[in-house]
Amino acid sequence: DDVQATLKSGTVLCKLANSIKPGTTRKPHTKKLAAMHRENVGWFLASLDGFGVPSSDQFVTNDLYENSNMRQVMYCLLALKRIITQS
């Protein structure tokens, strides 16, 4: 639950993407509005194709935002890690 709470706003995810490759996502929204949080997560998800994360390893916004499939979120982050460390 701590991981989900930390990632839910998408801010950390956007910062992660931009730390890997600057300018990958837009600057994340910081207001505490669900629509903006979901948009942040969407920006991160859109960046995954550019990093080479297979769609089968990606998650959808509701997996994270509604805490419905955190296992898939973690698989995605691990897939991203594997790709980045191989570069």
Side-chain angles (χ1 to χ4, degrees), residues 13-42:
L13 295 172
C14 287
K15 288 180 180 181
L16 171 63
N18 286 325
S19 73
I20 295 167
K21 182 179 178 190
T24 299
T25 68
R26 296 178 59 182
K27 182 178 176 185
H29 300 292
T30 56
K31 293 185 179 179
K32 295 183 179 185
L33 298 172
M36 290 183 173
H37 291 177
R38 288 176 175 274
E39 189 169 35
N40 290 343
V41 173

Side-chain angles (χ1 to χ4, degrees), residues 65-79:
Y65 200 79
E66 295 178 5
N67 200 14
S68 62
N69 193 354
M70 285 304 295
R71 179 175 289 173
Q72 188 63 37
V73 174
M74 298 309 294
Y75 285 150
C76 179
L77 294 175
L78 289 171

Side-chain angles (χ1 to χ4, degrees), residues 51-68:
F51 291 130
V53 177
S55 59
S56 60
D57 288 337
Q58 296 180 25
F59 64 94
V60 295
T61 303
N62 283 345
D63 290 343
L64 171 60
Y65 200 79
E66 295 178 5
N67 200 14
S68 62

